[in-house]
């Protein structure tokens, strides 16, 4: 069916009010949960075909995330949907005030390829929990995972409620001509701008989950073993194709050598080798070439090997980097870690302040003053002290960017709020009506009003 007609059918279905009932939302969230579990093998196979991701990584970073989201909303749906009673001001006594979480209507979710299940289904799950109808357009770059999601959803859900629309740039461009009640986009800043412009035509609100260059700062006050282990994991997970991966390392000069040796040790220990099943491939030849062009042979401290046939790039550390190096121009989004050294913590923080606001930032230090400076001075979407990437696994924290790394947030109750309108309702009694606000006005009324307000 033509996509405009599917959207119209969703509009008509939304008007029937069925998606507003908690029983309806729970039924379909449970259905999705069961379908994901019964199709687990299909999901693993599809992602493995797309970019050789291990079952372990797919489970921990994708499937478990999505199941956890469904469980969270199944457990908390009643509380989240309950009208919230708030205080009522003096001018509105005798009355009461409530905020209703109203579903927005028809949602468009546009997904990215790097965590194709999580980044497509997590927003869908939050939108379903909030009582909306949705169209999902996954990334065509991970074609097999797109087809797997389309099979699972389109064969089991009514299209007037939930529908997966397969396609690339042309299909997304056509979708963006239509009027949705919210667009949730995950992807690059460049395409984010296209989405924002198209949404503006219809005054459609957007969530833009974008990227950026996320720094990891390591000072001499850090636990170097733990810092190296966690950075190696966070950077090379998914072969660096993670939006919140540390993009570059800022390291205190006095510990640089010792730290990089520890990084080398962990890369070897984690067995990130050409034929390793532990290590993900680069998504396609275009990205492979973009990344290998960033490897400056003169600056390789570790790694630098690659294999085009297998789309493998070895975890690579580039040392003695400065801000003029090509690798510092754009988000890397691959297994290359440039290292810039500093000898003054405040100056290092100031260099981050000079850049666009990143999606994430990480500090490895046990010094309370450094932690305070990092947290208070820098603006970033979210981050960690003494860890990386893991903040996004905590549903009690909103996940999203700031400035050029994004607009809006989701996860847990923030996802529910993102797909709801907070509708204010003041209810008044019909007895006890003071005449003070009504004309004819007088000096006496004014003096009373001044006292009251
Ligand atoms: P992308 O912007 O190329 O594509 C994202 C989506 O936009 C895809 O569904 C694609 O079909 C569509 N698209 C591409 N070009 C388009 C166009 N001209 N017009 C309309 N739609 C178009 O991003 P990607 O390569 O899939 O993902 C990588 C980027 O996403 C990185 O910058 C990364 O940091 C970011 N990202 C952010 C998050 C986050 O949660 N903030 C998560 C993952 C990835």
């Amino acid at each position: 069916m033509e996509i405009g007609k599917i959207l119209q059918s969703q509009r008509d279905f939304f008007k029937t009010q069925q998606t507003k009932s908690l029983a309806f939302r729970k039924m379909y969230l449970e259905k999705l949960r069961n379908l994901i579990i019964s199709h687990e093998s299909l999901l693993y196979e599809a992602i493995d075909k797309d970019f050789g991701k291990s079952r372990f990584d797919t489970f921990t970073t994708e499937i478990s995330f999505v199941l956890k989201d469904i469980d969270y909303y199944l457990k908390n749906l009643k509380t989240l949907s309950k009208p919230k009673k708030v205080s009522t001001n003096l001018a509105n006594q005798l009355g009461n005030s409530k905020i209703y979480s109203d579903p927005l209507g028809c949602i468009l979710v546009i997904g990215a390829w790097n965590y194709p299940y999580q980044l497509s289904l997590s927003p869908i799950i939050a939108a379903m929990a909030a009582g909306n109808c949705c169209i999902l357009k996954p990334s065509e770059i991970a074609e097999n995972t797109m087809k797997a999601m389309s099979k699972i959803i389109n064969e089991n859900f009514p299209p007037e409620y939930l529908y997966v629309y397969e396609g690339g740039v042309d299909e997304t461009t056509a979708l963006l001509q239509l009027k949705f009640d919210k667009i949730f986009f995950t992807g690059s800043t460049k395409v984010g701008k296209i989405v924002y412009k198209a949404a503006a035509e219809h005054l459609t609100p957007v969530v833009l989950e974008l990227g950026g260059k996320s720094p990891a700062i390591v000072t001499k006050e850090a636990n170097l073993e733990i810092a190296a282990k966690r950075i190696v994991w966070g950077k090379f997970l998914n072969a660096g194709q993670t939006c919140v991966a540390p993009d570059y390392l800022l390291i205190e000069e006095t510990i640089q050598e010792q730290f990089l040796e520890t990084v080398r040790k962990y890369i070897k220990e984690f067995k990130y080798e050409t034929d390793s099943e532990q290590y993900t491939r680069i998504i396609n030849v275009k990205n492979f070439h973009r990344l290998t062009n960033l490897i400056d042979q003169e600056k390789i401290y570790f790694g630098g090997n690659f294999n085009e046939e297998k789309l493998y790039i070895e975890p690579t550390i580039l040392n003695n980097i400065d801000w003029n190096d090509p690798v510092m121009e754009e988000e890397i989004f691959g297994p290359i870690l440039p290292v810039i050294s500093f000898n003054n913590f405040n100056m290092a923080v100031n260099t981050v302040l000079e850049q666009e606001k990143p999606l994430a930032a990480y500090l490895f230090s046990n010094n309370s003053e450094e932690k305070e400076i990092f947290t208070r001075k820098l603006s970033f979407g979210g981050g960690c002290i003494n860890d990386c990437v893991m903040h996004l696994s905590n549903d009690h924290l909103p996940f999203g960017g700031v400035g050029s790394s994004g607009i809006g947030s989701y996860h847990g109750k923030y996802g529910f709020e993102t797909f709801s309108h907070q509708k204010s309702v003041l209810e008044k009694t019909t007895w006890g009506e003071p005449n003070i606000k009504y004309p004819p006005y007088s000096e006496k009324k004014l003096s009373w009003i001044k006292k009251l307000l």
Side-chain angles (χ1 to χ4, degrees), residues 189-208:
T189 304
K190 189 178 124 218
V191 181
K193 288 180 186 170
I194 296 173
V195 171
Y196 206 0
K197 272 189 198 150
E201 274 302 310
H202 298 292
L203 279 183
T204 299
V206 292
V207 172
L208 301 177

Side-chain angles (χ1 to χ4, degrees), residues 259-410:
F259 185 73
L260 292 186
E261 277 312 300
T262 320
V263 165
R264 183 205 295 270
K265 179 183 86 177
Y266 281 113
I267 293 175
K268 287 193 168 166
E269 208 172 295
F270 292 175
K271 299 201 181 305
Y272 288 155
E273 295 144 3
T274 331
D275 292 317
S276 169
E277 283 180 9
Q278 315 287 331
Y279 189 60
T280 310
R281 293 193 305 265
I282 302 305
I283 183 72
N284 55 24
V285 178
K286 188 175 157 213
N287 269 304
F288 178 86
H289 286 147
R290 178 183 66 76
L291 287 163
T292 50
N293 281 335
L294 293 177
I295 301 178
D296 179 343
Q297 295 297 322
E298 310 265 291
K299 299 201 170 178
I300 296 174
Y301 177 85
F302 178 88
N305 296 307
F306 43 83
N307 179 329
E308 182 163 352
E309 198 195 323
K310 292 184 170 161
L311 292 176
Y312 164 85
I313 300 179
E314 190 180 20
T316 299
I317 312 289
L318 300 179
N319 205 0
N320 302 320
I321 292 294
D322 65 50
W323 287 97
N324 298 318
D325 281 295
V327 75
M328 295 309 291
E329 271 168 23
E330 280 184 8
E331 179 186 1
I332 299 169
F333 217 57
I336 301 167
L337 183 66
V339 180
I340 299 178
S341 63
F342 66 85
N343 50 32
N344 178 305
F345 178 73
N346 273 297
M347 280 166 73
V349 168
N350 287 344
T351 59
V352 177
L353 263 183
E354 300 288 309
Q355 317 306 315
E356 294 284 5
K357 294 175 183 173
L359 181 59
Y362 307 111
L363 171 70
F364 289 84
S365 166
N366 285 315
N367 176 302
S368 41
E369 200 187 329
E370 289 176 352
K371 290 186 208 173
E372 187 69 13
I373 292 171
F374 168 82
T375 320
R376 298 231 174 247
K377 211 166 173 182
L378 291 181
S379 179
F380 49 86
C384 310
I385 293 173
N386 291 322
D387 206 345
C388 55
V389 178
M390 291 305 290
H391 59 295
L392 72 78
S393 68
N394 181 357
D395 274 342
H396 302 288
L397 293 171
F399 179 70
V402 56
S404 63
S405 58
I407 298 172
S409 62
Y410 70 132

